[in-house]
């Protein structure tokens, strides 16, 4: 049975801890935590040792982590430059920081083969090619022929789209009148 009553405590943590991913090898959980001094940070929980260690931690918020299919890279969003951008770091060490977007970006996702990184800019779904050389390299951003209803995210809890294993995209679109209406009743 996939469901059982066997529950185990992994770590003790104060404040918010949101699970955002699991490495394909089953060794790590990727979580976003909240710290009063550093805001939202990305951490890894090593399931063998039950240790939670920072992967990306800075003075601003680091959110929306997306682990590459091979588990070597972590894409995430930070507004350290003044606007939300997608960055990349080594996983689980957090060594290095490479900027993947140039004109803003949110909600990163990887292609199944790890050769493309997708993200949302405004309401456009964008793609950049990715190469693993001595350092990570990115191609020029390309707009894909679809819009995303919302890229507003809070610790990756409102994902605007997903990439399927066969390379298609799933996104939510508003139905009917998407404009909010205010009614005043006297």
């Amino acid at each position: 049975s996939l469901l059982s009553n066997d529950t185990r405590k992994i770590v003790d943590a104060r404040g918010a801890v949101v699970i955002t991913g699991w490495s394909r090898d089953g060794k790590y959980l990727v979580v976003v935590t909240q710290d009063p001094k550093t805001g939202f940070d990305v951490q890894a929980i090593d399931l063998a040792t039950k240790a939670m260690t920072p992967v990306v931690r800075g003075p601003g918020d680091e959110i929306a982590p997306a682990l590459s299919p091979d588990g070597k890279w972590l894409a995430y969003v930070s507004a350290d430059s003044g606007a939300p951008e997608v960055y990349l770091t080594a996983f689980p060490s957090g060594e290095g920081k490479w900027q993947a977007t140039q004109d803003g970006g949110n909600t990163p996702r990887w292609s199944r083969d790890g050769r493309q990184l997708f993200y949302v800019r405004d309401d456009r779904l964008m793609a950049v090619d990715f190469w693993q050389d001595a350092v990570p390299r990115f191609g020029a951003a390309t707009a894909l022929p679809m819009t995303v209803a919302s890229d507003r995210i809070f610790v990756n809890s409102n994902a605007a789209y997903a990439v399927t294993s066969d390379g298609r995209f799933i996104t939510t679109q508003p139905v009917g009148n998407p404009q909010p209406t205010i009614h005043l009743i006297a």
Side-chain angles (χ1 to χ4, degrees):
S1 167
L2 292 174
L3 299 175
S4 72
N5 292 329
D6 182 23
T7 58
R8 288 173 252 165
K9 185 184 340 183
I10 298 174
V11 294
D12 282 319
R14 293 182 170 210
V17 176
V18 178
I19 298 172
T20 59
W22 189 303
S23 63
R24 282 195 178 173
D25 61 11
K27 292 181 180 180
Y28 297 97
L29 284 177
V30 179
V31 299
V32 173
T33 59
Q34 187 175 18
D35 183 282
K37 294 178 183 175
T38 61
F40 291 104
D41 302 308
V42 180
Q43 302 203 52
I45 298 175
D46 183 319
L47 295 174
T49 64
K50 298 184 179 180
M52 184 165 58
T53 57
V55 179
V56 185
R57 185 177 188 162
D61 292 334
E62 292 84 26
I63 58 172
L67 195 56
S68 66
D70 64 7
K72 294 180 181 180
W73 304 103
L74 184 85
Y76 64 96
V77 175
S78 174
D80 286 347
S81 66
E85 297 284 359
V86 176
Y87 294 90
L88 193 72
T89 192
F91 184 85
S93 69
E95 294 176 5
K97 180 179 181 180
W98 295 272
Q99 189 169 338
T101 59
Q102 302 301 318
D103 298 315
N106 264 316
T107 324
R109 300 281 186 271
W110 290 90
S111 63
R112 183 180 174 104
D113 62 9
R115 294 182 183 168
Q116 283 189 305
L117 186 62
F118 306 107
Y119 64 95
V120 177
R121 180 173 66 205
D122 299 321
D123 66 346
R124 298 298 308 195
L125 185 60
M126 308 293 290
V128 292
D129 289 333
F130 171 72
W131 297 275
Q132 298 183 58
D133 290 332
V135 296
R137 293 187 306 121
F138 301 96
T142 304
L144 299 178
M146 66 182 293
T147 59
V148 177
S150 172
D151 68 348
R152 293 174 188 241
I153 53 173
F154 177 76
V155 195
N156 212 27
S157 63
N158 183 16
Y161 72 102
V163 184
T164 65
S165 61
D166 63 0
R168 293 181 295 166
F169 297 91
I170 299 171
T171 184
T172 57
Q173 294 291 326
V175 176
N177 183 2
Q179 298 298 320
T181 303
I182 298 174
H183 297 276
L184 178 63
I185 301 172

